[in-house]
């Protein structure tokens, strides 16, 4: 039961570097989400996707990009990393969207530090 | 934009005491979900509430959705050390997204 798999689990970046956070799910879910969680805070939505080829901005999209070429994969790209992007990043998936009362299934997270 | 406020931010109790966290939305919600995140872990879905005034129970946990569908609460009776973690509410106003509260971190003295 893999569920939602995120890689890497930890990463340290230098300011200005770029990287891609990987997320894949094997539940054939249409909906996928990227959140960031700052210490002691809740989850803030970065980007989401309602299906392959479709993405939309969440609450805090600046500094990030996403793509959704397949149902399974939803990578998050950081360009020109900044210290403010130090956070824990969670990927989640859902069978349908929030209006249909479907739960979101989360990966284990990627802990990213930018120095 | 929609905001979901959750209080308290922290709660420390003795094992066996009760615990309650409250969630308030600035707008009427279509539904609300509750998640639990263990220290160092990821959020795990607990339950969803849809109907006005709805009450659901899971063993020692009782979830309520307000009559106006703008607030919700989670009550744990007789806490156990396994209840340690952060509890989040997440509200939906009819779109495809959830808006998460800041969470209530529960710690327990055994």
């Amino acid at each position: 039961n893999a569920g939602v798999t995120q890689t890497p689990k930890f990463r340290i970046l230098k300011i200005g570097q770029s990287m891609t956070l990987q997320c894949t799910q094997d539940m054939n879910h249409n909906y996928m989400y990227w959140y960031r969680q700052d210490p002691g805070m809740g989850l803030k939505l970065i980007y989401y996707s309602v299906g392959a080829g479709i993405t939309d901005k969440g609450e805090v999209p600046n500094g990030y990009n996403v793509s959704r070429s397949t149902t399974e994969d939803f990578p998050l790209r950081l360009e020109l990393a900044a210290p403010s992007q130090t956070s824990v990043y969670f990927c989640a998936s859902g069978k349908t969207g929030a209006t249909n009362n479907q739960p979101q299934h989360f990966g284990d997270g990627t802990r990213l530090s930018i120095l | 934009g929609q905001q979901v406020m959750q209080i308290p931010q922290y709660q420390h109790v003795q094992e066996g005491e009760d615990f309650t966290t409250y969630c308030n939305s600035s707008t009427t919600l279509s539904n609300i979900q509750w998640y639990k995140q263990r220290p160092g872990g990821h959020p795990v879905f607990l339950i969803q509430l849809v109907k006005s005034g709805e009450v659901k129970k899971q063993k020692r946990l009782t979830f309520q959705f307000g009559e106006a569908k703008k607030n919700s609460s989670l009550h744990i009776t007789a806490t156990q050390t396994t209840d340690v973690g952060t509890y989040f509410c997440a509200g939906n106003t009819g779109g495809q997204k959830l808006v998460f509260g800041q969470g209530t971190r529960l710690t327990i003295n055994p």
Side-chain angles (χ1 to χ4, degrees), chain B residues 2 5 83:
Chain B
Q2 179 195 1
M5 306 300 293
D83 296 325

Side-chain angles (χ1 to χ4, degrees), chain A residues 14-115:
Chain A
K14 293 183 179 179
I15 295 171
Q17 286 185 322
S18 60
M19 77 164 292
T20 300
L21 282 66
Q22 302 291 345
C23 176
T24 187
Q25 52 92 8
D26 63 358
M27 297 174 281
N28 200 32
H29 286 169
N30 286 321
Y31 288 71
M32 295 188 75
Y33 307 85
W34 274 107
Y35 295 92
R36 59 177 287 173
Q37 184 177 35
D38 298 327
M41 300 295 287
L43 297 155
K44 293 193 181 296
L45 183 65
I46 305 172
Y47 271 96
Y48 69 103
S49 169
V50 302
I54 306 169
T55 62
D56 207 348
K57 295 178 180 179
E59 184 182 0
V60 289
N62 291 344
Y64 307 93
N65 279 299
V66 293
S67 60
R68 185 94 182 272
S69 57
T70 67
T71 299
E72 294 78 18
D73 300 309
F74 191 38
L76 177 71
R77 178 82 176 164
L78 277 73
E79 304 283 1
L80 297 174
S84 61
Q85 293 177 304
T86 294
S87 191
V88 180
Y89 291 84
F90 287 102
C91 178
S93 73
K95 187 174 182 180
T96 59
T99 50
N100 291 323
N101 307 319
Q102 290 294 316
Q104 294 185 8
H105 303 264
F106 286 81
D108 290 338
T110 294
R111 284 151 181 79
L112 180 63
S113 294
I114 298 164
L115 306 174

